[in-house]
Amino acid sequence: MSAAAALACLLSLLLAPVGCSRPETPAGKGLERIRAAGVLRWGGDTQGGEPYVYDDPAKPGHLVGFEVELAAAIARELGVRSEFVQNDWSNLVPSLERGTFDIVMNGLEVTDARTGRVLFTRPYYVFAERLMVRSEDAPKMRSPDVASLKGKRVGTLSNSLAFEMLRGTADTVIYEGVEEPYTDLLRGRTDAVLLDDIIATRYGVTKAGLEVVGDLRDGYYAIAVRPSEPEVKAAIDEALGRIAARGELRKILEGSHIWNARQERLASWSAADQAEMLGQPPPPPAFGPAHVVLFLKGAAITLLVSVLAMAIAVPLGLFLALVRMYGGPAARFAASAYVEVYRGTPVLLQLYLLYYGLAPVLKLGALTAAVVGLGMNYAAYEAEVYRAGMQAVPKAQMEAALALGMTTRLALRRVVLPQAVRHAIPNVTNDFIALLKDSSLVSVITVVELTKQMTITAIDVRTWLGPGLTCAALYFAMSYPLGILARRLERKLEGERNEEDAAPEPPMPPTVGVGT
């Protein structure tokens, strides 16, 4: 078989599954497309947990929750079936815009930023923004308002209604999940948490030591539809109206124990109510110098975390490499286990365990946990880099040093390590570049670094292009000089090796015969 034929065969095998898979959205537009496909695909995030959409504890793999029931009821009204599509909550709207699913329904709050990007249906739940603090602080915060939170560290979800309320007033601490804000509040890492009453009731009130101090304002959960598909919004509005009028919506909410007096309005929701809910959102701000300043601050955090983490990884990695090569059996086993465990598990999981899992016994700040977590992870990779460098030094040099009377420690310090470090420097530089990019993961433990700042700004200005390109440019500006440095070091070391190889052998002393 010729090379061209073999390549064509390989491409056909690779592309065959793609050609047979179903596109993210079937051909067609709006309601016609949904009915032709026979399915209403709705986006959500199971990380939000109970009571929205979550795995049935009694039947793993089976989703339950009041939004699952509501999606099924709406789909029935449309004459189709419902299908859940998992998606990260903070990216539900961008995924809707690109056509990953037909609608979004996952505790999506009606906010000014979203009103300008999507069409919102009539609401299916009225919630309250509920403020919680530690019990000892509750007497100081009776009748609270947003202004009373000025300067305090307040936890909430990114791009939520509470996030918009707190901006410019509190020192907002951003979380990805709903359990973590209350854990940090209990541990003293924050001063308060402002989140929807459903979340507060399920995850905050259940923790001894926390107390509700008030509801700051009402908000609405509604279904988001693409602006290009108003007929889908109209059909869902009609479906929700029928579901609410016949009492099915109340039954669904009562089943999840979230019905209250605020929901009475939903059955008689009017066009005037809808206009009041949506209001007149201001136009999105243009991406400009103020945002670039925020990006530079995020870049500074990224660089700080990366430099400090590498300062931990390099000496710890060198120590692990020495122990693996020259330690006793127990020490070699422990060092090998460290390397394999840290290389064999995701750094994201390690950060979660360090910051949240060990919180009862080790209360680290978010920035400290980020530096320590990344440093310990990269130490495992640096250990292998230095071990390879030491193995590149000929064994004869170590043997010669020992024969001259040096101790093993002295021989390592004077002979082996200087050469091993020289071999390792280019790889260490490359690892630092990789660490710069991996530092984006620390946003899961509330550190707002460059990538997290980009996602926040992209929601504000309602476009990903400008913020994304700026973020990429800053990463490139930080990593490119290091890449040049790595290449120069490689060329320099290669030149030194060539000079050493080309150096003439020293002349041998003349031999003196026995009879002379």
Side-chain angles (χ1 to χ4, degrees):
M1 181 183 295
S2 67
L7 180 60
C9 182
L10 178 60
L11 287 174
S12 66
L13 290 173
L14 291 174
L15 295 176
V18 177
C20 296
S21 63
R22 187 179 67 182
E24 287 185 326
T25 54
K29 184 179 178 182
L31 193 59
E32 176 187 349
R33 183 197 68 246
I34 293 170
R35 285 177 171 156
V39 60
L40 176 67
R41 305 179 77 233
W42 61 286
D45 188 358
T46 55
Q47 187 179 358
E50 194 268 340
Y52 301 94
V53 50
Y54 60 101
D55 269 318
D56 186 352
K59 192 178 178 182
H62 177 67
L63 294 178
V64 293
F66 81 93
E67 289 177 330
V68 176
E69 296 180 45
L70 183 57
I74 293 171
R76 282 196 305 271
E77 293 291 323
L78 300 181
V80 297
R81 63 180 178 83
S82 65
E83 179 182 304
F84 175 75
V85 181
Q86 169 63 31
N87 197 95
D88 181 69
W89 191 83
S90 61
N91 290 321
L92 282 171
V93 171
S95 295
L96 173 70
E97 291 172 332
R98 71 180 301 274
T100 304
F101 28 73
D102 301 312
I103 62 172
V104 172
M105 183 174 64
N106 190 214
L108 194 70
E109 304 156 329
V110 178
T111 64
D112 288 346
R114 296 193 183 105
T115 301
R117 294 182 67 175
V118 301
L119 296 178
F120 274 116
T121 66
R122 60 186 288 166
Y124 60 88
Y125 191 78
V126 184
F127 67 90
E129 288 291 0
R130 184 156 292 172
L131 184 67
M132 293 194 69
V133 299
R134 288 181 293 278
S135 298
E136 62 266 25
D137 297 330
K140 309 171 192 173
M141 298 193 69
R142 297 302 177 191
S143 303
D145 55 16
V146 174
S148 68
L149 301 175
K150 185 175 180 61
K152 296 184 180 295
R153 287 176 55 82
V154 184
T156 191
L157 297 178
S158 176
N159 302 316
S160 63
L161 178 61
F163 177 76
E164 289 192 357
M165 292 169 59
L166 295 169
R167 182 177 293 180
T169 302
D171 179 8
T172 309
V173 183
I174 302 170
Y175 292 87
E176 301 288 335
V178 293
E179 175 76 25
E180 297 87 348
Y182 298 103
T183 300
D184 274 4
L185 177 60
L186 197 59
R187 302 295 174 194
R189 288 170 170 160
T190 56
D191 301 312
V193 171
L194 182 65
L195 280 172
D196 306 355
D197 58 339
I198 292 182
I199 299 172
T201 301
R202 296 305 197 275
Y203 300 97
V205 174
T206 56
K207 296 184 185 299
L210 300 184
E211 190 172 322
V212 175
V213 292
D215 294 338
L216 302 193
R217 64 170 285 185
D218 286 350
Y220 304 92
Y221 292 158
I223 297 170
V225 181
R226 280 183 286 274
S228 60
E229 299 179 347
E231 73 280 7
V232 175
K233 173 193 174 300
I236 293 177
D237 275 335
E238 292 175 5
L240 280 170
R242 292 191 293 269
I243 292 168
R246 65 174 177 253
E248 186 176 358
L249 178 59
R250 175 169 183 165
K251 183 179 179 182
I252 290 172
L253 298 180
E254 285 178 338
S256 292
H257 309 290
I258 56 175
W259 178 267
N260 53 47
R262 285 192 298 271
Q263 315 313 318
E264 299 285 354
R265 307 172 53 194
L266 298 177
S268 58
W269 192 259
S270 66
D273 293 326
Q274 185 76 2
E276 182 183 351
M277 178 186 77
L278 298 177
Q280 293 295 328
F287 184 69
H291 294 106
V292 174
V293 171
L294 293 175
F295 274 47
L296 291 174
K297 290 180 180 179
I301 295 295
T302 292
L303 197 58
L304 176 66
V305 169
S306 301
V307 169
L308 294 179
M310 206 65 185
I312 293 174
V314 167
L316 180 55
L318 180 57
F319 172 76
L320 291 169
L322 289 170
V323 170
R324 290 191 75 181
M325 294 191 68
Y326 299 102
R332 287 200 303 271
F333 175 80
S336 298
Y338 180 100
V339 171
E340 296 305 325
V341 168
Y342 271 90
R343 289 197 309 173
T345 54
V347 63
L348 194 64
L349 174 62
Q350 295 163 20
L351 290 170
Y352 271 124
L353 291 176
L354 180 64
Y355 187 70
Y356 295 115
L358 297 180
V361 294
L362 183 64
K363 191 173 75 172
L364 296 175
L367 191 62
T368 303
V371 170
V372 172
L374 288 177
M376 294 179 69
N377 177 269
Y378 266 77
Y381 296 94
E382 296 310 295
E384 293 302 281
V385 168
Y386 286 118
R387 190 163 70 96
M390 285 186 280
Q391 288 175 338
V393 179
K395 291 183 179 179
Q397 296 195 23
M398 185 65 162
E399 294 169 355
L402 295 176
L404 290 173
M406 290 187 183
T407 63
T408 300
R409 180 175 297 181
L410 183 61
L412 284 171
R413 183 162 57 89
R414 292 286 183 84
V415 179
V416 177
L417 285 182
Q419 299 180 72
V421 169
R422 189 180 71 171
H423 288 299
I425 282 177
N427 288 330
V428 172
T429 308
N430 289 331
D431 283 346
F432 184 63
I433 295 172
L435 179 56
L436 270 173
K437 293 175 285 187
D438 280 350
S439 64
S440 62
L441 297 172
V442 302
S443 63
V444 301
I445 56 173
T446 76
V447 177
V448 181
E449 41 64 59
L450 180 54
T451 302
K452 187 64 177 179
Q453 184 60 59
M454 185 273 294
T455 60
I456 294 171
T457 301
I459 298 298
D460 287 343
V461 301
R462 303 175 195 171
T463 178
W464 289 78
L465 187 59
L469 291 176
T470 304
C471 179
L474 287 171
Y475 272 115
F476 183 76
M478 291 187 288
S479 61
Y480 184 65
L482 292 170
I484 294 175
L485 176 62
R487 287 192 293 273
R488 286 182 177 175
L489 287 171
E490 289 171 2
R491 286 195 297 267
K492 184 175 184 297
L493 295 177
E494 187 62 31
E496 289 178 357
R497 292 192 195 99
N498 292 338
E499 289 176 6
E500 290 172 358
D501 293 341
E505 292 286 336
M508 296 293 292
T511 5
V512 180
V514 176
T516 59

